[in-house]
Amino acid sequence: MSTIIAGHFQLQEEVERAKEELRNAGFGQGRISAFFVNQPGQHDMTPIGGDHAISPGASETPEGVVEGATTGGAVGVAIGALTSPLSGPVGPIVGGLVGAHVGSLFSLTKMKEAGEPEEGGKNLRVPREAGMMVAVALDGPADERRALDVLRDLGAHHIERAEGTIEQGDWRDFDPLSMPVVIA
């Protein structure tokens, strides 16, 4: 493992220029990696796709929907019973079904509007910005300043430091879900 410095770029031309300038600065081609980071949630980290088996922030959804459906169903049955002289014996049944449906929809809306924090945070943290990245594995601490200068001069943003292995141009142990250590 070595220290890796990586920066984000917007255009493919910028990526190619960064790779060329890093080579000109003395970094071997096999120690430079360029790749695209997908949007959060689109990394296919689970067998059915996505990044998590259960969506973050949706932990209370089943209980909330059941609660809303139960409350709505009870209200619907009561209203249906009151209208049974007009609607007959079907009134409480239809009232209960409609009430359960409306109650479940209302509970979903209420949970969405509440926007409760996830694990102590106000909003979900996005691990890493999507887009093109260029990364370079350093041979030693002296290489860091040179790599940073090249990436900054070329307009890289969200420059980060990580530990990992780049072999033959492939950052083998890159984890798109890890929280980046942004240094510039």
Side-chain angles (χ1 to χ4, degrees):
M1 286 184 100
S2 58
T3 299
I4 295 174
I5 300 296
H8 290 263
F9 291 92
Q10 293 297 317
L11 303 173
Q12 184 65 35
E13 295 82 26
E14 295 172 328
V15 168
E16 293 305 319
R17 178 131 190 262
K19 288 169 44 179
E20 179 183 336
E21 291 299 322
L22 286 167
R23 285 190 300 271
N24 291 342
F27 296 100
Q29 180 150 347
R31 298 184 64 79
I32 301 169
S33 181
F35 54 95
F36 185 82
V37 178
N38 288 334
Q39 294 285 341
Q42 298 180 359
H43 296 112
D44 290 334
M45 304 294 281
T46 67
I48 60 169
D51 295 345
H52 306 283
I54 297 175
S55 295
S59 60
E60 296 179 15
T61 300
E63 295 86 4
V65 170
V66 169
E67 184 179 303
T70 302
T71 304
V75 170
V77 167
I79 292 171
L82 290 174
T83 62
S84 64
L86 297 172
S87 61
V90 172
I93 295 169
V94 171
L97 292 173
V98 170
H101 179 68
V102 171
S104 66
L105 294 176
F106 176 76
S107 68
L108 284 174
T109 303
K110 188 173 100 178
M111 285 186 287
K112 181 179 178 184
E113 289 173 356
E116 295 184 21
E118 183 73 16
E119 296 182 23
K122 184 164 182 140
N123 295 316
L124 293 175
R125 288 179 61 190
V126 176
R128 184 170 274 106
E129 186 175 293
M132 294 296 302
M133 279 186 79
V134 175
V136 59
L138 309 178
D139 287 323
D143 289 343
E144 185 169 334
R145 174 60 40 209
R146 199 164 25 118
L148 282 171
D149 288 345
V150 169
L151 293 175
R152 280 188 187 127
D153 289 347
L154 295 172
H157 58 94
H158 292 91
I159 299 174
E160 62 183 81
R161 180 184 298 115
E163 295 294 319
T165 304
I166 295 179
E167 294 176 347
Q168 298 175 353
D170 183 25
W171 188 348
R172 298 198 185 281
D173 48 5
F174 175 73
D175 179 5
L177 301 180
S178 66
M179 298 306 288
V181 178
V182 178
I183 56 175

